[in-house]
Amino acid sequence: MRDILIVVDMQRPIGSITLIGICTDICVISNAMLIKAFLPE
């Protein structure tokens, strides 16, 4: 996931990302933290 996000952001800067949780909020929070670590503002 990290490599894909970085390549996409280099091609066209990502303005926002929407995360949707199906089962629990833990997965959404975990993924949000990973994305923030890969693509800090």
Side-chain angles (χ1 to χ4, degrees):
M1 180 170 78
R2 177 185 68 97
D3 296 333
I4 294 170
L5 285 173
I6 291 171
V7 169
V8 169
D9 189 54
M10 287 172 45
Q11 293 172 349
R12 186 176 357 149
I14 298 172
S16 67
I17 298 174
T18 302
L19 301 174
I20 299 171
I22 302 296
C23 247
T24 64
D25 292 336
I26 300 297
C27 294
V28 174
I29 293 169
S30 174
N31 286 331
M33 291 174 65
L34 287 172
I35 292 170
K36 186 69 171 175
F38 299 149
L39 298 173
E41 291 183 44

